[in-house]
Amino acid sequence: MHLADVVPFIFLLLLVGCSARPLYPLPSRRNDKSKQPIQTFRPFNIAHRGSNGEIPEETAAAYRRAIEEGADFIETDILASKDGVLICFHDVTLDDITDIAEHKEFASRKRTYEVQGVNVTGYFVVDFTLQELKSLRVKQRYPFRDQQYNGKFSIITFEEFISIALDAPRVVGIYPEMKNPVFINQRVKWSGGKRFEDKFVETLKKYGYKGSYLSKQWLKQPAFIQSFAPTSLVYVSNQTDLPKIFLIDDVTMPTQDTNQSYWEITSDSYLDFIKDYVVGIGPWKDTVIPVANNYLQTPTDLVARAHARDLQVHPYTYRNENQFLHFNFSEDPYNEYNYWINKVEVDGLFTDFTGSLHNFQEWTSPLSPDDEDASKLLKKIALMISEFSKT
């Protein structure tokens, strides 16, 4: 091979490597064996509903942004449409983060249902077909966040979410939640007596998600299954060996299916029971460390007791805005990350701001401590060119 044949190729490599916008080859064109594997040596960066601090939650754009920003896992909530299609959406009602109020054709769809023991009125996801849900547009949940993307993106399906992860240029895990399974099973029916949980696991299997935590299969396509409903986690444990996370709500909230109190489900005896079905817990962070007057109080021993049982701890949710940062952290999200990772020693963090957590971890525990800078890369290219010129 001559230098004249090599230079255009090297130039193309430089364009791809130095471009601010990553290029995404088609799935059929990519050699999956060359994908950068998921890291397992530091706490997981879990993109809570995508990078929703920047882009409206649970949208394709929010998930793609999270991948660009370095997420280890993209997290989603799974509900079901009236016609039984699994979708990515957090609330059982559409009122807060879609433009449903602008769709006069749906004005008669408002209902009141009991959800986790409380009567809720609104436009419920389960009363709309997938086609109808796709006609809606999503908006930012919080008014103090960027509103420029409101109305630009639609609701996506579970399968579309999975495709985003599988099409990523590196291995990116998924972290789906079986959301409100009791309510969904009451309102949506599938043929053959199947349950919401059955359809959920079927979808994961369809796309090749399998294997216990850190197994060869799991590392190829990492996934955690999460739920606030312990009976759902126990049920799916008979269908898949994928690792499961038991979510824990605020101390005042009982479990939605067994009506157990927070104090019971965090007791030693219950952790001993649930550890046979899950690899970890996902507690609301203010239940791990109580808060008073926006100051952290004395930490509980929940993390220590979970770790003593080889259970991981993935608290939620870390947000960068001042109103979410306790005074202990001087309005600095990096101080908060440092505290939870290095003092509390959690194993993963659900964050609305994937990029900031990734930056913190790259500064403090980089993926490649000896990663070459631009000058070293240029030296390698020069060496390659000189070697080719001799042939």
Side-chain angles (χ1 to χ4, degrees):
M1 185 179 290
H2 296 288
L3 179 61
D5 300 316
V6 176
V7 170
F9 175 70
I10 297 296
F11 181 68
L12 178 59
L13 285 177
L14 285 172
L15 283 178
V16 173
C18 298
S19 173
R21 182 178 183 273
L23 302 178
Y24 296 106
L26 295 174
S28 60
R29 302 287 183 87
R30 181 183 297 118
N31 179 3
D32 287 343
K33 292 182 180 179
S34 66
K35 280 189 175 184
Q36 177 185 328
I38 192 167
Q39 68 81 23
T40 56
F41 76 95
R42 67 188 187 193
F44 292 125
N45 183 340
I46 306 161
H48 182 240
R49 309 180 203 169
S51 187
N52 83 88
E54 301 174 62
I55 297 176
E57 64 187 55
E58 314 262 26
T59 61
Y63 292 121
R64 291 192 178 105
R65 178 67 62 84
I67 291 170
E68 291 172 357
E69 292 178 334
D72 297 316
F73 288 85
I74 50 176
E75 188 263 355
T76 189
D77 305 280
I78 304 301
L79 294 171
S81 65
K82 181 179 181 180
D83 47 347
V85 180
L86 302 189
I87 65 163
C88 299
F89 205 76
H90 179 269
D91 302 350
V92 292
T93 58
L94 298 159
D95 304 59
D96 288 343
I97 65 164
T98 76
D99 61 353
I100 185 70
E102 300 173 19
H103 288 256
K104 303 306 179 186
E105 69 272 25
F106 299 141
S108 63
R109 301 283 186 93
K110 185 171 283 191
R111 300 286 187 272
T112 299
Y113 294 138
E114 182 180 305
V115 183
Q116 292 183 239
V118 178
N119 286 334
V120 178
T121 299
Y123 295 96
F124 285 82
V125 168
V126 294
D127 290 329
F128 293 81
T129 65
L130 176 63
Q131 183 177 1
E132 291 171 333
L133 292 171
K134 284 284 191 180
S135 71
L136 306 177
R137 290 296 176 266
V138 181
K139 60 184 178 181
Q140 178 59 254
R141 180 178 295 273
Y142 297 111
F144 48 80
R145 289 181 175 171
D146 192 347
Q147 305 294 306
Q148 67 172 307
Y149 300 108
N150 289 352
K152 295 184 181 297
F153 308 117
S154 63
I155 293 171
I156 65 172
T157 66
F158 189 15
E159 293 190 69
E160 289 170 328
F161 166 83
I162 289 174
S163 295
I164 292 169
L166 293 180
D167 285 350
R170 56 187 172 81
V171 175
V172 174
I174 62 172
Y175 208 125
E177 177 186 345
M178 294 180 288
K179 193 73 177 179
N180 292 99
V182 174
F183 178 76
I184 294 298
N185 280 319
Q186 289 172 342
R187 298 293 170 181
V188 181
K189 302 301 177 184
W190 287 273
S191 61
K194 289 184 177 179
R195 295 168 41 166
F196 172 46
E197 295 90 339
D198 297 318
K199 301 298 292 185
F200 180 91
V201 174
E202 282 179 9
T203 304
L204 291 170
K205 288 182 176 179
K206 176 180 177 180
Y207 287 91
Y209 286 93
K210 60 183 178 180
S212 58
Y213 181 62
L214 294 184
S215 67
K216 183 177 179 181
Q217 299 95 332
W218 187 87
L219 287 171
K220 182 179 179 181
Q221 292 183 207
F224 285 104
I225 294 173
Q226 56 172 333
S227 181
F228 285 101
T231 56
S232 291
L233 293 170
V234 172
Y235 181 83
V236 300
S237 69
N238 295 317
Q239 299 178 327
T240 177
D241 57 353
L242 285 170
K244 301 154 195 75
I245 300 290
F246 177 37
L247 298 174
I248 298 172
D249 213 327
D250 182 86
V251 294
T252 62
M253 293 292 293
T255 56
Q256 61 183 264
D257 52 345
T258 59
N259 200 37
Q260 292 171 285
S261 70
Y262 166 83
W263 306 111
E264 182 177 351
I265 63 174
T266 59
S267 66
D268 286 343
S269 59
Y270 196 80
L271 291 178
D272 287 335
F273 160 74
I274 202 68
K275 73 177 182 181
D276 291 334
Y277 303 98
V278 304
V279 300
I281 58 175
W284 169 237
K285 60 189 177 74
D286 287 5
T287 65
V288 178
I289 304 178
V291 175
N293 300 317
N294 206 33
Y295 281 97
L296 295 182
Q297 304 300 296
T298 302
T300 69
D301 62 353
L302 179 58
V303 173
R305 291 190 293 111
H307 283 171
R309 292 164 174 80
D310 292 324
L311 292 172
Q312 296 187 40
V313 182
H314 300 173
Y316 65 93
T317 303
Y318 297 84
R319 299 178 168 117
N320 287 14
E321 293 96 351
N322 291 344
Q323 55 264 57
F324 297 120
L325 289 168
H326 303 310
F327 291 149
N328 311 67
F329 305 120
S330 304
E331 299 181 346
D332 185 342
Y334 296 108
N335 284 340
E336 183 178 40
Y337 294 145
N338 181 62
Y339 178 80
W340 283 89
I341 291 173
N342 295 313
K343 300 294 184 182
V344 185
E345 298 184 339
V346 298
D347 309 288
L349 301 87
F350 289 81
T351 177
D352 287 1
F353 292 89
T354 311
S356 66
L357 177 53
H358 180 73
N359 288 341
F360 174 80
Q361 292 193 288
E362 281 296 279
W363 293 333
T364 57
S365 54
L367 284 175
S368 303
D370 299 322
D371 196 16
E372 290 144 331
D373 57 21
S375 64
K376 291 184 180 179
L377 177 61
L378 289 174
K379 288 179 181 178
K380 289 185 69 174
I381 292 173
L383 179 61
M384 290 171 58
I385 292 175
S386 65
E387 290 175 347
F388 274 108
S389 64
K390 297 175 183 177
T391 61

